[in-house]
Amino acid sequence: MDAKQLYKMLKKAQEPKGYYFNSDMDMTMPLLESLLTNKERFGYMACPCRLANGEFEADKDIVCPCTYREEDVKEYGACFCALYVNKEYNDGTIEKEVVPERRPPEKIIF
């Protein structure tokens, strides 16, 4: 599978739930490519904007779509990576803000 195929598959599954891909394809496609790289590396699609531990149980909160996506999109219009956004984000009718990290400090790898 390549990034374009992943885009089509996930778009079909996520848009009915109210989650859209960021319309900036220069941002979206590299994020999707990184998800596929993480799938090869770890066996699961860990968030490309966070450092994965490499152990599914430790990382399951950051398997894309991550546990934090719903609240991030609800509050900021985008997830932490800005891969998933709401319609208003893509339409430019809301201010684009930096989404803060919601992952608990003890799970963050430095």
Side-chain angles (χ1 to χ4, degrees):
M1 178 177 293
D2 66 18
K4 288 180 183 178
Q5 292 168 317
L6 182 61
Y7 176 89
K8 288 178 186 175
M9 181 184 77
L10 293 177
K11 180 178 179 175
K12 187 176 182 179
Q14 298 302 320
E15 283 190 0
K17 298 175 186 176
Y19 299 105
Y20 301 86
F21 283 122
N22 191 322
S23 59
D24 180 354
M25 288 298 126
D26 289 335
M27 182 174 193
T28 297
M29 295 313 285
L31 288 170
L32 291 171
E33 289 167 6
S34 295
L35 283 174
L36 292 170
T37 298
N38 284 346
K39 173 83 172 161
E40 288 177 24
R41 185 179 294 151
F42 304 120
Y44 51 91
M45 290 192 296
C47 173
C49 299
R50 295 177 168 107
L51 289 176
N53 179 307
E55 297 173 15
F56 180 79
E57 280 303 309
D59 290 337
K60 66 183 176 182
D61 63 320
I62 61 166
V63 173
C64 190
C66 74
T67 303
Y68 315 103
R69 177 186 71 169
E70 184 176 348
E71 287 300 314
D72 287 346
V73 172
K74 189 183 299 179
E75 188 171 344
Y76 298 99
C79 70
F80 184 68
C81 292
L83 174 63
Y84 286 108
V85 301
N86 61 22
K87 274 190 169 192
E88 294 79 13
Y89 186 98
N90 273 341
D91 293 343
T93 57
I94 62 169
E95 183 178 341
K96 295 179 180 175
E97 301 179 59
V98 174
V99 178
E101 174 63 88
R102 292 185 191 263
R103 197 169 197 215
E106 63 274 9
K107 289 194 153 206
I108 297 173
I109 299 170
F110 294 100

